Amino acid sequence: MLLKTEFVKARSLEEAFCAISDRADASFVAGGTDLFVQIKEGKRKPSRLVSVREVPELLGIDLQRGSVVIGSAVPLSDVASSAVVAGHAPLVADACLQIGSPQVRNRGTIGGNIGNASPAGDSITALIASGARIRVKSLAGEREILLEASFLGPGKTVLSPDELITAVVVPVIQDHTRVAFEKYALRGGMDIAIVNVAISLDMVDGLVTDARIALGAVAPTPIRAVEAERTIRGNRPSSSLIEEAARVAARECCPIDDVRGTASYRRHLVYVLTKRALAKVCQGNVGRVWGCAR
Amino acid sequence: MSFSVVGTRIPRVDGRDKVRGKAVFAADLFVPGMLWGAVLYSEFPHAKILRVDKEEALKTPGVYAVLTADDVPGQCDWMGFPPLAHGKVRFLGDVVAVAAGENMEAARLALRKVKVQYEPLKPLFSPEEALAPGAPEIHEGCKGNIIPMSHHKIRKGDITAGFAAADVILEREYRTQRVEHSYLETEAVLAVPDGSNESMTVYTCAQYPFSTRRAVAEVLGLPYAKVRVVQTTVGGTFGGKEEVIGMLAARAALLAAATGRPVKMVNTREDSFIQSSKRHPFIMRYKIGLSKTGRITALEAELICDGGAYNARAKNMNWRASVHATGPYEIENVKVDVYGVYTNNVYGGAMRGYSSPQVIFAHETLMDEAAAALSMDPVEFRLKNCFRGGSVTATGQVLKEVVPLRELISKVNGELGRDREAGNLPNSDGAPGPFVQGSQGDEHIRFGTGLACCFRGCGLGAEYADATGAMITIQRDGSVYLASSLSEVGQGLKTALSQIAAEALGIRVDRIVFADTDTSFIQDGGSTVASRGTYIGGRAVLAAAKTLLESLKGVAGEVLGCPADQVEVRKEEFIRRPYYCDGAESTGGPSGSSERSGERSSERSIQRSSEGSSERRSSIRFDELITECAKRGVNLSAVGWFSPGPVVVDRETGQGNAYPDYSFGCVGAKVAVDTRTGRVRVLEVVAGHDVGRAINPDCVEGQVYGGVAMGSGFALMENFRTKDGRPIDANLDTYLLPTSLDVPDVKGILFETGGSDGPYTAKSLAEPATEMVGAAIARAVSNALGVTFRELPITPERVVAAASDCPKPTDATKEARLQT
């Protein structure tokens, strides 16, 4: 009668895969900040939880061949406070610091934030704008997927149940790259984004050579504002160009009405936040702005 | 008058256990053989119950009882609320069946097997729908769905003549939302039957344990004396843990009686949201007449609250609303009508401030609109019309006390720096705060200030008889046991009453142990509501202390060789009055007169020493005195009882002295508004309160800070939204309260006017602390945008919509700043 859930604490990747493969409805768990809520609400009923929180292979932050490689079980608070991440993937550090509360960031992991596949996931937009890939492993083998290609819908990814995200691979920020992250939520902390926007622009001699704009909570998955990127790419930034790109971004997203905001308000916020982030980037002042979560 | 304990900042007497996690809450209790209870909610917001079939449910393994209204041995209703719905369901939080099982899952599984046949009826989700002609009756025989006794009237002066004399007349409508208390601890109860199953002990976090006792006794058909309710640590209530706790306790007790085993029920946050009362939403229609000179000639108000499916509060709350509907302003001609209406929404109940946060939002917005219509400064307008000493309220009561309202308004206004050019400087010190860094000169960020003021009747007034008790027992070792009919619910009552008792007895406060409320050990003294814990409860403590002091002084007099009335108490010492000498008072010095001149007493002491009376003792320590009392068999336990006396108000006109005392307050807010995202950041709140006297300034300030946090949620975030009677916000993930990051800087200004009937002249504060805050913030946002918000909460979406209409700043755009 009681929901009986077995809890297995894996000490190595091998142990984790063994524990997941011999039970059909087993589930990986790291911090549990999303999964336990889903279990409580009856949305998930795993008969076995395989904790990967203490698997050593999933716990490092390293620089490898031009990328920051963050183990999937690294807590969000460690990502946010890591000097390596702050120096080489500042967008990711900034976004992770804006998730939930200190308690949630201490429990929650970067792999979990991705695997939960919320359209509003704060780390996800930042990682997409940074061009991140994820390493995914199962007993069958290992593969690397471009992060933005891994989402199918709210809570849905291309991963199979026996696959585990082992690491996030973020290309090191270039000297000519400027980034900004904007989250808008009703309150200053412990709140889910109504909209978040992450921007990464490559600027050479005053020209935008490449632009990556990621939007969260305005579509079934986090998306890239490809039209807005096209608008700005190859051009010299000006207030009119920023204005236009922000309008294009607002047009190309497809938000819905929900408990946190209406579709039209979200569209409006995409315009406001994209414009703010672009203005900030074009001025070269990478840093926090007023509308952010703190 | 100087004090040794009152007015000091001692740590909260219950603080240590709470911060160390040692306080025991009802959900922490486990007893052998305990079963778990669960509930089955109604499927419809409004329906007839045709049939309930629990046969299958009873077969569930591990389940010991499944009960419906048919199984209730006593009364089915308590205060008009059915712990188990019978005949009809009136909202989605109605409970149709309960089950007790070995664990929660078993009980829930059983309830899923209960088959209920309903005949759905037309649901009514707004007062407008419920008041419409031909609307179905939610409660049979309740015509027009108006809650019985909820219509309160004020008729003062000649309203027609008042409007005829006006140069300007404004008519406005204001609306407020439904708010959830969101106390940290959800409701929990443990019901333990005695061996013979003829009496019941209930442990629960009740705000008013005697009301819970009534609920349990009535459903079980037991006399009150056979039901004992023991209050466990209350993790917040704010007015909320009354109806919901009574019903939860009744359900648990029914299951416990049916199974003969202890039954525990603990609400999840979702259960709490569905079952518990909410702040009443109000629709407030005002009409105000103004003279060109800036005086108010007449005020007419019609206030309607959505009472939900059941209601035990509108009859009292609406009376408070009627008395305070004018705000603290002198108005000769007044007509007020307040109604409560049944709907199929979750029911309304008491919440910190009762009806005042809603009503103050309306009258303070109205005052600003009135000032604007007259092209007057809103502060000047308030100063011109507000109460002062001797003013007459809307109920015809003459304010005989000190009325520091003008001083409060001026002080708060000065602190806000409203005199300076608006919109230039965000902070009073002129330096940009962290919030505005990078936004200096941003034309999308607007600054605004606003203020709100109020008066508040202390205690229950004419709602119902205001009276309460306390008991003090001095133990043989000199420790002191203090019990009160009123309860600690997180507000600081134990600390305040301990300080009052210590002051009155002249002893150290650490001698006192404050008892938790137990209905079998102390008498019913009404609910811990209406900010009456210190104000009324403190007087009962003083009454008990007075009785004890008489006994103590009597014995002290025997020891010291003087009559009892010649003994003074100072810092644990009972002292013979200095001017008292043998053979009774020589020149008829009045007893109890401590104002005798120093000259005379020194003369006496010289005389005494010259007579060589130094062998006779002049004082005795408290500890020794207790031993002396024990030797003599003197009773050192006393019950105190206090009532300010009946309040007589004419029910047709509302005229009379509505409350014994009033608190006064003024709160100012300073906000920054981002017109693009709609975000409102409250930068600072200045809270000025007339507290009479601060028994413990730390606790008073704590009330003020908490009140500001709660009020800012009311203004900007909190809204218990429902769709077809069903909560949209099922938990705290979408029902958003301010966090520590959202609470502004708070500056508390306490006026100790010292003129009330309260203990050591203390007045009510718990509710004034929050009731003006929402209005002040709303006024500040309106001021920032030049748009009047007449509905709460002011969400970002509403700000964005309003900002698109608001006047644009005239300075040139910052085009150049964006160029690289």
Side-chain angles (χ1 to χ4, degrees):
Chain A
M1 186 134 0
L2 270 170
L3 175 69
K4 289 225 170 68
T5 304
E6 200 178 49
F7 190 84
V8 177
K9 190 197 271 183
R11 283 185 182 75
S12 68
L13 263 185
E14 199 186 340
E15 267 185 40
F17 286 123
C18 285
I20 207 86
S21 59
D22 66 357
R23 187 75 72 86
D25 53 355
S27 172
F28 289 117
V29 62
T33 53
D34 288 305
L35 183 64
F36 289 144
V37 177
Q38 291 158 7
I39 291 173
K40 184 195 155 205
E41 290 174 349
K43 291 174 184 163
R44 303 269 299 266
K45 289 175 183 169
S47 67
R48 176 184 284 173
L49 289 174
V50 180
S51 169
V52 295
R53 213 162 171 259
E54 289 174 32
V55 171
E57 295 98 310
L58 308 177
L59 283 173
I61 298 177
D62 300 302
L63 270 177
Q64 292 175 9
R65 291 189 301 278
S67 288
V68 181
V69 179
I70 307 170
S72 61
V74 173
L76 294 159
S77 50
D78 287 0
V79 178
S81 63
S82 154
V84 174
V85 179
H88 301 285
L91 195 53
V92 177
D94 197 7
C96 286
L97 194 58
Q98 299 198 25
I99 296 172
S101 62
Q103 294 89 337
V104 169
R105 292 194 290 272
N106 287 342
R107 287 292 311 175
T109 62
I110 188 141
N113 200 238
I114 295 166
N116 188 51
S118 161
D122 291 321
S123 79
I124 300 175
T125 36
L127 287 166
I128 289 177
S130 306
R133 308 173 71 84
I134 50 174
R135 274 186 202 151
V136 173
K137 208 169 180 179
S138 70
L139 285 177
E142 190 172 10
R143 57 178 178 149
E144 217 171 90
I145 315 167
L146 191 61
L147 180 62
E148 63 200 74
S150 66
F151 301 109
L152 298 172
K156 292 196 177 65
T157 65
V158 297
L159 273 65
S160 62
D162 63 339
E163 279 186 309
L164 179 67
I165 302 169
T166 55
V168 191
V169 183
V170 192
V172 165
I173 190 169
Q174 303 298 303
D175 289 343
H176 58 272
T177 304
R178 294 175 184 182
V179 295
F181 180 77
E182 292 278 334
K183 170 178 177 172
Y184 188 78
L186 182 57
R187 66 184 175 192
M190 203 61 212
D191 202 0
I192 291 168
I194 302 174
V195 170
N196 59 29
V197 175
I199 285 177
S200 171
L201 294 191
D202 289 351
M203 309 252 287
V204 179
D205 298 332
L207 273 184
V208 177
T209 54
D210 196 12
R212 301 175 64 85
I213 302 175
L215 308 176
V218 288
T221 68
I223 57 167
R224 275 180 66 181
V226 288
E227 293 293 328
E229 290 173 0
R230 196 170 300 146
T231 304
I232 207 155
R233 200 176 291 134
N235 284 311
R236 195 169 291 276
S238 67
S239 55
S240 58
L241 184 70
I242 289 169
E243 173 75 23
E244 195 193 337
R247 286 192 189 285
V248 169
R251 211 159 45 228
E252 70 183 297
C253 67
C254 46
I256 54 163
D257 291 346
D258 77 0
V259 290
R260 292 192 179 79
T262 60
S264 62
Y265 178 57
R266 284 200 155 97
R267 208 179 277 282
H268 169 77
L269 282 179
V270 167
Y271 161 73
V272 173
L273 299 187
T274 306
K275 189 173 163 184
R276 240 175 221 174
L278 282 172
K280 206 162 51 160
V281 164
C282 295
Q283 284 173 55
N285 303 329
V286 180
R288 212 143 281 132
V289 287
W290 181 74
C292 78
R294 269 149 295 127
Chain B
M1 205 171 181
S2 71
F3 301 107
S4 53
V5 188
V6 159
T8 60
R9 296 173 181 265
I10 64 161
R12 283 182 62 135
V13 300
D14 55 341
R16 202 174 149 79
D17 278 353
K18 284 178 176 168
V19 298
R20 292 191 311 156
K22 300 287 184 194
V24 176
F25 297 87
D28 298 329
L29 301 174
F30 289 85
V31 291
M34 186 179 89
L35 300 175
W36 291 80
V39 301
L40 176 69
Y41 292 113
S42 164
E43 287 168 46
F44 297 93
H46 196 194
K48 271 186 196 161
I49 303 172
L50 299 178
R51 194 164 166 275
V52 185
D53 176 1
K54 60 184 191 182
E55 205 172 310
E56 282 301 307
L58 282 166
K59 293 177 190 164
T60 314
V63 166
Y64 291 80
V66 179
L67 307 179
T68 67
D70 291 342
D71 304 306
V72 175
Q75 294 175 29
C76 277
D77 291 314
W78 155 75
M79 291 204 311
F81 285 77
L84 286 164
H86 50 95
K88 256 182 108 169
V89 286
R90 297 180 177 86
F91 82 120
L92 286 158
D94 261 327
V95 168
V96 181
V98 287
E102 269 170 2
N103 51 54
M104 189 74 101
E105 287 75 12
R108 284 183 183 156
L109 183 66
L111 291 170
R112 279 200 290 276
K113 296 179 187 167
V114 174
K115 297 185 193 79
V116 188
Q117 272 189 320
Y118 296 98
E119 180 191 323
L121 302 168
K122 187 191 172 193
L124 306 167
F125 295 127
S126 70
E128 288 96 331
E129 285 174 71
L131 291 170
E137 286 174 4
I138 292 172
H139 290 266
E140 294 63 31
C142 183
K143 290 212 169 27
N145 290 312
I146 291 184
I147 298 166
M149 321 263 294
S150 74
H151 180 194
H152 291 279
K153 302 179 234 183
I154 303 286
R155 300 287 183 268
K156 182 193 174 196
D158 183 340
I159 193 76
T160 315
F163 281 115
D167 298 312
V168 179
I169 293 176
L170 295 183
E171 288 188 68
R172 295 287 185 270
E173 183 178 298
Y174 306 100
R175 284 174 184 254
T176 59
Q177 75 279 30
R178 190 172 282 111
V179 179
E180 159 65 30
H181 301 79
S182 311
Y183 23 74
L184 274 175
E185 178 209 22
T186 59
E187 304 83 5
V189 57
L190 172 66
V192 183
D194 78 345
S196 60
N197 213 2
E198 280 177 349
S199 65
M200 188 70 67
T201 302
V202 174
Y203 302 87
T204 184
C205 50
Q207 174 160 349
Y208 182 19
F210 295 93
S211 161
T212 310
R213 180 179 69 170
R214 217 182 106 193
V216 172
E218 287 180 358
V219 295
L220 293 180
L222 288 175
Y224 289 0
K226 284 199 168 188
V227 175
R228 177 177 168 215
V229 175
V230 181
Q231 190 195 40
T232 49
T233 309
V234 179
T237 159
F238 309 106
K241 282 178 179 159
E242 197 157 340
E243 295 94 332
V244 63
I245 289 289
M247 287 196 283
L248 197 68
R251 289 170 195 143
L254 284 167
L255 288 168
T259 58
R261 288 172 65 169
V263 173
K264 179 161 154 178
M265 295 180 83
V266 180
N267 273 353
T268 62
R269 183 63 66 179
E270 288 85 351
D271 288 322
S272 179
F273 270 31
I274 292 169
Q275 290 177 22
S276 72
S277 68
K278 304 289 176 279
R279 183 184 292 293
H280 289 78
F282 266 83
I283 301 166
M284 296 167 282
R285 300 181 181 120
Y286 273 83
K287 181 178 172 187
I288 190 169
L290 304 160
S291 75
K292 275 184 203 149
T293 58
R295 295 294 306 222
I296 303 167
T297 62
L299 183 137
E300 187 175 344
E302 184 189 44
L303 316 181
I304 299 165
C305 69
D306 179 348
Y310 305 92
N311 202 292
R313 299 284 156 244
K315 64 178 192 288
N316 299 323
M317 183 192 72
N318 286 1
W319 181 73
R320 184 175 278 279
S322 71
V323 173
H324 295 84
T326 59
Y329 304 102
E330 292 180 333
I331 308 173
E332 278 179 27
N333 307 297
V334 179
K335 177 173 184 275
V336 178
D337 289 275
V338 190
Y339 307 86
V341 182
Y342 284 125
T343 63
N344 295 111
N345 292 315
V346 60
Y347 60 96
M351 183 170 174
R352 193 176 184 185
Y354 226 14
S355 46
S356 293
Q358 301 92 313
V359 171
I360 293 169
F361 166 65
H363 68 61
E364 288 306 277
T365 309
L366 181 69
M367 291 306 143
D368 279 4
E369 295 201 67
L374 296 170
S375 303
M376 274 180 80
D377 178 76
V379 172
E380 196 188 317
F381 180 76
R382 282 180 175 80
L383 290 174
K384 195 163 190 146
N385 289 285
C386 74
F387 288 153
R388 55 204 82 193
S391 287
V392 181
T393 70
T395 70
Q397 181 168 359
V398 180
L399 297 175
K400 292 183 177 136
E401 61 215 285
V402 179
V403 181
L405 205 46
R406 296 164 62 83
E407 293 77 7
L408 279 163
I409 294 170
S410 301
K411 178 84 179 154
V412 168
N413 191 47
E415 291 286 339
L416 274 183
R418 279 174 63 110
D419 301 337
R420 276 178 288 125
E421 200 63 35
N424 281 343
L425 287 174
N427 282 5
S428 49
D429 59 1
F435 162 76
V436 282
Q437 271 171 16
S439 67
Q440 214 70 339
D442 185 337
E443 75 269 29
H444 300 306
I445 294 179
R446 307 282 182 82
F447 298 97
T449 56
L451 57 77
C453 46
C454 81
F455 72 132
R456 183 180 184 91
C458 299
L460 296 171
E463 284 176 28
Y464 41 89
D466 200 344
T468 203
M471 185 170 71
I472 305 176
T473 306
I474 301 174
Q475 313 296 324
R476 289 202 175 185
D477 66 348
S479 61
V480 177
Y481 200 65
L482 171 61
S484 164
S485 299
L486 301 180
S487 300
E488 173 68 54
V489 292
Q491 83 280 46
L493 177 110
K494 285 183 178 180
T495 308
L497 295 193
S498 295
Q499 283 183 263
I500 289 168
E503 184 70 48
L505 292 171
I507 59 173
R508 296 192 319 268
V509 74
D510 62 6
R511 286 186 184 271
I512 295 173
V513 173
F514 197 103
D516 287 310
T517 309
D518 181 327
T519 58
S520 293
F521 293 162
I522 188 113
Q523 70 273 50
D524 184 354
S527 188
T528 308
V529 294
S531 306
R532 66 194 279 266
T534 301
Y535 176 70
I536 301 287
R539 287 292 302 269
V541 170
L542 285 182
K546 185 168 177 250
T547 308
L548 283 178
L549 263 188
E550 278 166 18
S551 305
L552 291 170
K553 283 182 175 175
V555 174
E558 285 172 28
V559 174
L560 303 177
C562 69
D565 61 9
Q566 293 306 314
V567 177
E568 275 178 14
V569 192
R570 229 177 301 140
K571 291 190 175 161
E572 307 242 311
E573 201 148 26
F574 285 67
I575 308 162
R576 178 158 32 87
R577 278 187 201 279
Y579 51 81
Y580 178 78
C581 64
D582 271 330
E585 197 75 0
S586 49
T587 49
S591 63
S593 162
S594 55
E595 279 84 35
R596 305 218 113 209
S597 74
E599 193 187 339
R600 182 165 180 158
S601 51
S602 61
E603 185 186 316
R604 288 283 175 190
S605 60
I606 292 162
Q607 189 185 346
R608 196 162 58 227
S609 57
S610 66
E611 283 170 9
S613 62
S614 57
E615 275 175 42
R616 194 159 53 86
R617 298 184 62 173
S618 63
S619 71
I620 178 169
R621 300 285 303 166
F622 181 75
D623 288 298
E624 195 190 337
L625 182 57
I626 299 310
T627 311
E628 291 296 328
C629 290
K631 277 186 203 161
R632 290 167 167 80
V634 171
N635 172 28
L636 287 184
S637 182
V639 172
W641 188 256
F642 174 72
S643 172
V647 175
V648 183
V649 169
D650 183 288
R651 293 285 165 187
E652 278 310 301
T653 63
Q655 297 299 296
N657 290 345
Y659 292 90
D661 279 309
Y662 292 89
S663 299
F664 301 90
C666 179
V667 168
K670 191 184 293 176
V671 301
V673 182
D674 181 338
T675 58
R676 309 306 290 278
T677 59
R679 177 186 291 278
V680 175
R681 179 86 193 175
V682 185
L683 302 172
E684 190 183 7
V685 167
V686 182
H689 293 283
D690 159 29
V691 299
R693 178 176 311 282
I695 302 293
N696 183 326
D698 273 349
C699 290
V700 169
E701 286 160 12
Q703 283 278 9
V704 171
Y705 302 147
V708 168
M710 193 173 237
S712 66
F714 177 57
L716 301 174
M717 287 183 194
E718 296 185 52
N719 188 3
F720 191 81
R721 300 170 292 181
T722 56
K723 187 170 191 300
D724 300 333
R726 194 174 294 279
I728 291 173
D729 303 304
N731 204 324
L732 294 166
D733 59 338
T734 63
Y735 183 85
L736 297 183
L737 308 160
T739 69
S740 54
L741 295 177
D742 306 296
V743 176
D745 289 344
V746 181
K747 177 164 196 166
I749 299 168
L750 305 182
F751 276 40
E752 298 192 80
T753 49
S756 87
D757 281 342
Y760 301 107
T761 69
K763 289 184 177 182
S764 297
L765 176 71
E767 292 173 282
T770 200
E771 67 189 30
M772 291 165 278
V773 177
I777 292 171
R779 295 311 310 139
V781 179
S782 297
N783 174 248
L785 297 179
V787 176
T788 300
F789 288 91
R790 300 194 183 94
E791 187 173 354
L792 294 181
I794 304 175
T795 59
E797 293 204 38
R798 284 182 177 161
V799 170
V800 168
S804 60
D805 306 331
C806 80
K808 300 283 183 288
T810 49
D811 56 329
T813 52
K814 309 287 188 293
E815 195 69 22
R817 293 174 60 228
L818 292 176
Q819 302 292 344
T820 49

